[in-house]
Amino acid sequence: MFSLFFWSAWSRVYRLAYVGSLGVFIISLILFATAWYRGLANVVRWDVLSELNELPVTFHTFSDGLLDYAVTGKAYAVSEQFVAGAMQVHPNVAIAFLLGIGIAFVLIMSAITRFDRVRYLVSMAVLILGLAFFRWEMLEIPGLGSNYVFLLLAFLFGSLSYYFHAFRSDYPIVIRLGAFGLLTLLTAFGLGTLSPVKFPAFIVVSYGMPVLLVFSTGFIFFIAAEIIAGLVWLTTIGRSEEANTQPGSRRPLGINNFLFISGLYLLNLALIWLKNTKSIDWDVLAISPFLLYLISVTIGIWGFRRLIQQQDAVSFRDSGAFLYAGLALLTTLTMAYAFATANDPLVEMFEDVIVYTHLAMGLVFVAYVLINFWPIYQQNRPVYRILYKPKRLELSLFRIVAVVVFLVLLASGGLITFRQSLAGYYNGLGDYYLLSNESASANAFYQQAIEQEFQNHKSNYSLATLALAQNNQTAAAFYFQQALLKQPQPHDYAGLSQTYLQTNLFFEAIKILQRGIRAFPKNGELQNNLGYLYSRTSVADSAYYYLKSATGFADQSEIPESNLLSFYARHPNVLAADSTLAKDVSKFTYESYQANALALRLAAQTDTAQPNRPEWLAGEAAKQGLSVGRFASLYNYALANQRNDSTLTNTLQRLSADPANQDFTDDLLLARAAAEYTRYNHPVAFNLISQLAEGDQQNGDAYRSIAGLWLIEQGLYRRAAETFGYNADTTSMYYRAIALTKAHDPVLAQSFWETAAKTDPAVNALKQVYYQERKPQTDLEKAFYATYRTDDPNRGAYWETIQEPSLKTVAGVALTNDFLDQLQWRNAQLVLAGLPIRCRLAPLPHR
């Protein structure tokens, strides 16, 4: 345990400094794991495209006792698709990455100042060379063109480094870290302040990526032997040199187990290499290269310490520990940045580098162990204690051989790894110019990346979304298809399907989604989109199947749930077959879901309870512009609500006056008219509906029909007939005939009865009875005749034969009022006496 936490024996200053550097390294590992796990979700999200669907509904009904009247209109159901969003570029990620690189640079600079003269000069030369390739001139610092920024940085950091190395090597690590940290902070602040370019951190990271890749590759190669070294420790630990024969001492695993475990490990690496180079096409269950890196870099903390101590080259406490922490931090963050930006060429490059270096170094390190320590292994001695003190051949010679093997492996793939690094570099530059709104330059760099690796996903996807932004559906479809070649993602299928829809290739859009679901059978977004497309056809069972499946897999399950309600509202026959399908319509507060629940309520006409007000109306969202979902939920609620709701009318008035909602203005005015009518504020309601009818020639007939029915309900029959007179449809003719009949003007109503009766047998039957073309036969006909044919003094005889109590009561009340108007008291008394027992009431006072 003491050797595991070796820093606990250090002085407080060194211990705190090292634990702090380890803490930053651990954070980088967490960031790396998070970015690795999220994958494409780091930069691409699912957007939602909402579409309004009109549904014919009856939102208000009333009856005069004889006839029922239905005020019809339209409700809105919302259908939503998942749309693959554009490749996002997050400048804050580059800032955080550059901050981490700065910390790594401080650790490395502080460490090498304690090297001996030769190692120090070589290390500083490498660092200064790396600074030279960071393209500082791209910052465009005024007065510091060409290479002046680089020269200034080399002078500042080189001078401070040489001061600590040559003159004050006695300073503890904390002072060195503080000095380099302060200088780095001041330099970053100065460059960021003076640079006129947009996003200076992003441009430094993008143009400096080759340097970071070289340093990362070197570090990965350096730690490539750590797993094999760990196996040496594992197979030789357990016996003390002094008491290897004492009872109870554990026998080491030995050389045979070392060779067996190492062989399995190297075989795994070889299979990955063969699969990556397409030499085999096996479905190999191989360990991820990145998992191998995490293992190597973690155990390398102790392995590097053992190397430093056994070779006695530099002080591990003063130098080696912080050098390793800095290089590990730099490499881990670089790989995390590749994942965070979904730069798959860089990801694949790191995969190849890890595999090739671990395979090359693993092979030669096994040979190194066997050549130098075979006899000691056979003696069951702890080889790990002298692993870096060879008796025959130095480790440096084997590292040179490993470099050669690495280059051979690299060349065996046609240098694809090198081309992938170039593609990743160009992708980073494309991201920068995309972030800077220079789409032409971004497009050029993405094209260069494709020239290096034409199947790389990032370039093709970015070019596809750039083409979509320019409404170039053909180019977008091409690049989405290219993105599907090597690393297909659900977003690619969704994007390609959307381009087909935009170019009226409906069935191709369905086919590509079917392909996507075969590749990703548990992707709820693709299932939702396929269900959405099927819902636009007559294949209702497939639409229901995919939408229902999507609810179990989509991250935003409320969207397919909402689409299901929209599907039920637009296909009432499905709901009629099983009414339990929509038994719970209050699961989500999502606006589109609430809108569709209200649309279903209006379409099905099965729920008589008062609807709940949409929850967003009680929050800040009610003061903002309306989205499609919010508009539909507000509009449907206004039509479904039957309560006096002043808050609703005030909200509708405010939102309809907001210019941000101009696309919904007419519908909001109609919703407000319905709400005002429900509040018994009839003048305002009629004024609003008249305003709509006059201002909208296309929908004027529908608005006048609503107004006419409201007028009939209020007993304003002449005005209702006048309103219906502006319409030419048969239904309006019928209601105009009814209004004139109620106004006791049979002569003027006759032509409208004739027109309406031509296409409706029931209307024709009423017309024939009303105009005495035949005698009334049914209870309804008798009640209608007795009520409205006031010029026939014998109509009471028909009334007496009515059997239906409700119809007899309604007609009897009409007769009674008519007799009272004519001062025929006895006849009125006789009618009242003839009313059904439970309906018999005292006559109302005559007015």
Side-chain angles (χ1 to χ4, degrees):
M1 186 62 67
F2 177 78
S3 61
L4 183 63
F5 301 101
F6 53 82
W7 55 85
S8 61
W10 295 354
S11 64
R12 179 181 177 85
V13 171
Y14 280 90
R15 184 170 64 249
L16 292 177
Y18 187 63
V19 170
S21 65
L22 282 182
V24 177
F25 170 59
I26 292 172
I27 292 173
S28 73
L29 291 178
I30 295 172
L31 294 175
F32 168 76
T34 303
W36 181 17
Y37 173 77
R38 285 176 53 82
L40 190 64
N42 289 304
V43 292
V44 177
R45 67 173 185 270
W46 287 109
D47 294 330
V48 178
L49 180 62
S50 301
E51 175 185 281
L52 286 174
N53 302 288
E54 295 184 4
L55 299 176
V57 297
T58 298
F59 65 89
H60 180 61
T61 59
F62 63 93
S63 175
D64 60 8
L66 301 179
L67 301 175
D68 295 326
Y69 303 86
V71 183
T72 60
K74 61 184 177 183
Y76 283 109
V78 183
S79 297
E80 295 181 323
Q81 304 177 70
F82 287 103
V83 179
M87 187 76 74
Q88 300 294 311
V89 182
H90 304 292
N92 291 335
V93 173
I95 293 174
F97 176 49
L98 190 58
L99 175 62
I101 296 302
I103 296 173
F105 179 72
V106 169
L107 290 170
I108 295 169
M109 288 292 292
S110 302
I112 64 176
T113 57
R114 292 303 305 273
F115 283 6
D116 59 44
R117 181 57 57 91
V118 175
R119 287 188 174 89
Y120 169 76
L121 291 177
V122 172
S123 300
M124 282 301 298
V126 172
L127 288 176
I128 291 174
L129 186 63
L131 282 176
F133 283 95
F134 255 84
R135 301 288 303 275
W136 300 101
E137 68 275 10
M138 300 304 299
L139 292 175
E140 301 179 8
I141 304 295
L144 293 177
S146 188
N147 293 321
Y148 290 117
V149 175
F150 157 67
L151 294 175
L152 178 61
L153 293 177
F155 172 76
L156 291 175
F157 285 96
S159 299
L160 182 59
S161 174
Y162 190 76
Y163 170 77
F164 283 124
H165 171 74
F167 302 106
R168 298 312 304 257
S169 60
D170 58 319
Y171 277 176
I173 189 65
V174 173
I175 294 179
R176 284 178 277 152
L177 290 173
F180 281 112
L182 180 60
L183 180 58
T184 302
L185 187 63
L186 292 175
T187 301
F189 177 78
L191 294 178
T193 303
L194 295 175
S195 177
V197 302
K198 297 179 180 178
F199 314 109
F202 208 107
I203 201 170
V204 169
V205 168
S206 299
Y207 278 99
M209 184 56 67
V211 178
L212 301 176
L213 295 180
V214 171
F215 275 81
S216 298
T217 300
F219 179 73
I220 292 171
F221 178 83
F222 182 79
I223 64 171
E226 291 297 337
I227 292 180
I228 299 295
L231 293 178
V232 172
W233 174 85
L234 183 65
T235 55
T236 60
I237 194 174
R239 294 174 66 96
S240 65
E241 297 178 7
E242 297 82 5
N244 55 10
T245 60
Q246 292 180 1
S249 62
R250 187 168 62 86
R251 183 177 181 83
L253 295 176
I255 187 67
N256 292 331
N257 286 299
F258 168 74
L259 291 174
F260 178 75
I261 301 172
S262 299
L264 291 178
Y265 166 69
L266 294 173
L267 177 63
N268 177 81
L269 292 172
L271 290 175
I272 298 175
W273 167 58
L274 292 172
K275 187 175 182 180
N276 288 351
T277 56
K278 306 300 181 183
S279 300
I280 61 173
D281 191 21
W282 301 349
D283 189 12
V284 180
L285 182 61
I287 300 174
S288 168
F290 295 107
L291 183 58
L292 294 178
Y293 167 78
L294 291 176
I295 295 172
S296 299
V297 76
T298 302
I299 64 177
I301 296 173
W302 293 269
F304 185 65
R305 171 174 173 263
R306 189 175 297 116
L307 171 66
I308 293 294
Q309 289 178 339
Q310 292 181 19
Q311 292 188 345
D312 198 22
V314 296
S315 169
F316 180 75
R317 189 194 66 166
D318 280 345
S319 181
F322 298 96
L323 175 66
Y324 186 90
L327 290 172
L329 178 62
L330 182 147
T331 305
T332 305
L333 287 178
T334 303
M335 287 193 289
Y337 186 73
F339 278 109
T341 55
N343 200 338
D344 58 297
L346 287 187
V347 172
E348 292 183 4
M349 185 219 78
F350 277 116
E351 281 186 333
D352 290 345
V353 167
I354 294 169
V355 172
Y356 295 165
T357 56
H358 282 61
L359 180 57
M361 195 62 203
L363 287 170
V364 300
F365 199 80
V366 170
Y368 165 79
V369 171
L370 295 178
I371 291 172
N372 287 285
F373 305 106
W374 179 279
I376 302 176
Y377 243 116
Q378 289 182 322
Q379 298 171 22
N380 292 325
R381 310 286 291 184
V383 176
Y384 69 93
R385 294 187 177 181
I386 56 170
L387 183 60
Y388 300 106
K389 293 181 178 181
K391 301 299 183 181
R392 298 181 180 179
L393 298 178
E394 293 292 331
L395 179 60
S396 57
L397 296 177
F398 290 88
R399 290 192 188 276
I400 294 173
V401 175
V403 169
V404 175
V405 176
F406 170 73
L407 293 176
V408 171
L409 293 174
L410 199 64
S412 67
L415 296 179
I416 183 62
T417 304
F418 178 72
R419 294 201 302 273
Q420 285 173 331
S421 66
L422 289 178
Y425 170 64
Y426 290 131
N427 277 339
L429 296 180
D431 284 350
Y432 169 73
Y433 288 105
L434 181 63
L435 183 64
S436 302
N437 294 320
E438 299 180 35
S439 56
S441 297
N443 188 84
F445 279 113
Y446 289 134
Q447 291 287 0
Q448 284 186 285
I450 286 180
E451 290 177 8
Q452 298 298 326
E453 217 288 69
F454 75 97
Q455 296 182 102
N456 90 80
H457 183 271
K458 182 178 179 67
S459 301
N460 284 298
Y461 190 92
S462 298
L463 287 170
T465 53
L466 281 172
L468 286 178
Q470 299 168 0
N471 199 28
N472 189 343
Q473 303 294 335
T474 303
F478 170 77
Y479 287 119
F480 276 129
Q481 288 173 332
Q482 290 292 102
L484 287 169
L485 291 178
K486 187 160 90 171
Q487 293 186 357
Q489 299 291 331
H491 303 77
D492 307 326
Y493 292 103
L496 184 56
S497 173
Q498 192 64 28
T499 61
Y500 286 151
L501 282 179
Q502 295 299 319
T503 51
N504 298 318
L505 299 174
F506 182 79
F507 292 105
E508 283 74 8
I510 288 181
K511 290 177 183 177
I512 199 64
L513 287 177
Q514 290 172 335
R515 277 181 53 196
I517 292 173
R518 285 195 294 270
F520 300 94
K522 293 185 178 181
N523 186 270
E525 288 76 15
L526 294 181
Q527 291 174 336
N528 174 83
N529 287 6
L530 187 55
Y532 164 84
L533 292 185
Y534 274 126
S535 69
R536 294 170 57 178
T537 69
S538 59
V539 191
D541 54 345
S542 294
Y544 172 77
Y545 171 78
Y546 283 110
L547 289 175
K548 191 66 177 177
S549 298
T551 60
F553 295 116
D555 290 336
Q556 297 173 270
S557 60
E558 66 272 15
I559 290 176
E561 290 278 9
S562 173
N563 282 341
L564 269 177
L565 293 185
S566 174
F567 173 74
Y568 297 149
R570 289 181 289 121
H571 298 82
N573 56 320
V574 176
L575 196 60
D578 186 359
S579 59
T580 62
L581 292 175
K583 61 182 179 181
D584 184 6
V585 293
S586 59
K587 294 191 291 187
F588 299 101
T589 60
Y590 183 55
E591 292 93 343
S592 297
Y593 183 89
Q594 293 182 330
N596 290 339
L598 290 165
L600 177 60
R601 175 196 182 96
L602 289 167
Q605 294 289 317
T606 57
D607 192 349
T608 58
Q610 289 296 329
N612 295 322
R613 181 186 298 175
E615 295 190 14
W616 65 270
L617 283 174
E620 290 296 318
K623 302 177 183 178
Q624 303 170 1
L626 290 174
S627 64
V628 169
R630 289 175 184 170
F631 157 72
S633 64
L634 176 63
Y635 175 88
N636 292 344
Y637 173 69
L639 265 58
N641 176 59
Q642 298 299 318
R643 290 172 294 195
N644 188 334
D645 192 340
S646 60
T647 303
L648 174 62
T649 54
N650 293 336
T651 301
L652 287 166
Q653 183 175 8
R654 184 182 69 256
L655 291 174
S656 61
D658 188 344
N661 303 321
Q662 60 181 352
D663 293 339
F664 307 124
T665 299
D666 287 352
D667 290 311
L668 290 174
L669 288 177
L670 174 60
R672 184 185 166 201
E676 294 286 5
Y677 188 82
T678 302
R679 291 187 61 209
Y680 307 105
N681 195 355
H682 298 144
V684 174
F686 286 122
N687 180 58
L688 289 171
I689 205 73
S690 298
Q691 177 184 337
L692 284 169
E694 294 172 3
D696 189 344
Q697 296 297 324
Q698 182 177 358
N699 299 309
D701 289 355
Y703 294 135
R704 283 187 286 268
S705 294
I706 294 172
L709 287 169
W710 283 349
L711 288 167
I712 288 177
E713 185 178 23
Q714 298 306 314
L716 303 173
Y717 305 126
R718 292 288 179 181
R719 283 192 60 189
E722 181 183 348
T723 300
F724 282 118
Y726 290 99
N727 294 352
D729 60 286
T730 303
T731 303
S732 295
M733 295 289 185
Y734 166 70
Y735 284 129
R736 190 177 186 188
I738 290 291
L740 291 172
T741 299
K742 286 178 174 290
H744 303 294
D745 194 344
V747 177
L748 188 57
Q750 186 169 7
S751 62
F752 305 114
W753 277 110
E754 295 285 351
T755 302
K758 291 179 181 179
T759 57
D760 193 327
V763 174
N764 185 50
L766 290 179
K767 186 266 298 184
Q768 290 176 348
V769 168
Y770 184 57
Y771 289 102
Q772 298 178 332
E773 297 175 9
R774 65 175 177 85
K775 294 181 179 180
Q777 297 175 356
T778 65
D779 284 352
L780 175 60
E781 292 173 353
K782 293 174 184 177
F784 187 82
Y785 185 86
T787 299
Y788 295 115
R789 198 64 204 224
T790 56
D791 60 336
D792 185 356
N794 298 319
R795 65 188 185 280
Y798 291 111
W799 173 79
E800 291 177 352
T801 62
I802 297 174
Q803 300 299 315
E804 171 62 38
S806 60
L807 292 175
K808 189 166 187 174
T809 300
V810 172
V813 170
L815 280 172
T816 301
N817 287 333
D818 187 43
F819 288 144
L820 291 175
D821 288 338
Q822 300 176 28
L823 303 181
Q824 298 180 18
W825 312 109
R826 178 175 174 76
N827 289 340
Q829 188 65 37
L830 289 174
V831 171
L832 286 175
L835 290 176
I837 298 297
R838 61 180 178 177
C839 299
R840 192 177 301 162
L841 301 172
L844 295 174
H846 180 63
R847 292 177 293 176

